[in-house]
Amino acid sequence: MALPVTDESLWFRRFHPRPEAEVSLVCLPHAGGAASFYFPLSELLPPTVEALAVQYPGRQDRRHDTPIENIHEMAREIFEALTPLTAHRPIALFGHSMGASVGFELARLLEAELGTVPVALFASGRPAPSHHRSLDIHRRDDAGLIAELQLVSGTDSRILGDAELLRLALPAIRSDYKAAETYEYRPGARLRCDIVGLAGDSDIRVRAPEMAGWREHTAGSFRLEVFSGGHFYLGEQKAAVAGVITDTLRAATARPRRTID
């Protein structure tokens, strides 16, 4: 008999279940990305950290679901699915590129509506919300969009080389770019959670001052970790990134859990 479809099964993939974990790390993909992007990172995390990789609508096993073209709406949908899980263990957030913006808005919802302060927000390869800018890539024709994917190497080369797979993937990729590029930062209270910025030292899409700008968005601590590589440095530096995550969460969970009264 088929299992019932729940919000959790729609939105989250547990590639390496760790029932005894101390922290759930919600992993938010980049524009055009899928939950599977985080499989290698999930595998490298310690038993104390369980990755919940987010599956956006419009890709892989959710390919028939309508993509969401608004960051605030995306964060709200994930928040609703994540809320029941916040009672089980502390939550940390890791977002790459567009996923960092989703993670920021998700952290805002967790703090403002639940009084739950994430253990940490890992913001990877994305300008700070207050430094947001758009290249209007989502307005380009298919050839222009494909050229951008090739430039930043953000899409599986097997898809870029397969016309049929590419035809199926492009609508969701374009929707994600629209969401990322039309994102509107709304000034408000600073986050209470710590923020760790992560970036590749040769990323052509993110400048160092834009990453440093994440400091403006938290009343907690901020630090920036720079790795060798471009926009998708994570593919080559996953072990080093897993180390940063592990060390950060180990130190954070040794402190009393923070909540907002």
Side-chain angles (χ1 to χ4, degrees), residues 133-215:
R133 54 188 167 81
S134 173
L135 298 176
D136 279 342
I137 294 166
H138 72 281
R139 297 183 182 275
R140 299 178 185 177
D141 60 15
D142 287 353
L145 185 55
I146 292 168
E148 172 66 15
L149 298 176
Q150 292 171 329
L151 180 64
V152 299
S153 302
T155 298
D156 192 320
S157 60
R158 292 170 297 179
I159 294 178
L160 292 177
D162 188 312
E164 181 61 20
L165 284 177
L166 193 56
R167 182 185 67 80
L168 294 173
L170 274 179
I173 294 172
R174 186 179 299 281
S175 291
D176 282 357
Y177 268 90
K178 181 178 179 180
E181 294 186 316
T182 59
Y183 168 64
E184 295 182 1
Y185 166 64
R186 301 167 182 170
R190 291 188 295 171
L191 293 175
R192 297 278 296 277
C193 68
D194 298 337
I195 298 179
V196 179
L198 305 98
D201 60 5
S202 57
D203 188 340
I204 64 172
R205 288 291 179 243
V206 186
R207 307 182 190 106
E210 295 172 325
M211 287 300 303
W214 281 97
R215 185 187 306 275

Side-chain angles (χ1 to χ4, degrees), residues 16 18 21-25 42 45-51 245-246 249:
H16 305 93
R18 297 180 174 120
E22 299 173 3
V23 180
S24 294
L25 180 68
S42 171
L45 294 173
T48 53
V49 181
E50 181 182 63
I245 292 170
T246 300
L249 297 184

Side-chain angles (χ1 to χ4, degrees), residues 91-112:
I91 299 290
L93 307 171
F94 186 106
H96 180 67
S97 198
M98 179 187 78
S101 295
V102 179
F104 173 72
E105 294 299 337
L106 180 56
R108 280 181 144 185
L109 291 171
L110 287 168
E111 292 193 3

Side-chain angles (χ1 to χ4, degrees), residues 45-119:
L45 294 173
T48 53
V49 181
E50 181 182 63
L52 300 179
V54 171
Q55 190 73 296
Y56 300 142
R59 65 225 63 205
Q60 293 184 337
D61 55 345
R62 297 193 66 186
R63 62 188 178 278
H64 298 302
D65 294 344
T66 302
I68 297 174
E69 298 183 340
N70 180 282
I71 294 294
H72 295 281
E73 182 181 345
M74 183 87 77
R76 170 61 65 179
E77 292 283 343
I78 297 169
F79 170 76
E80 297 295 342
L82 182 62
T83 294
L85 304 181
T86 60
H88 301 304
R89 61 171 75 119
I91 299 290
L93 307 171
F94 186 106
H96 180 67
S97 198
M98 179 187 78
S101 295
V102 179
F104 173 72
E105 294 299 337
L106 180 56
R108 280 181 144 185
L109 291 171
L110 287 168
E111 292 193 3
E113 298 194 14
L114 293 184
T116 297
V117 179
V119 178

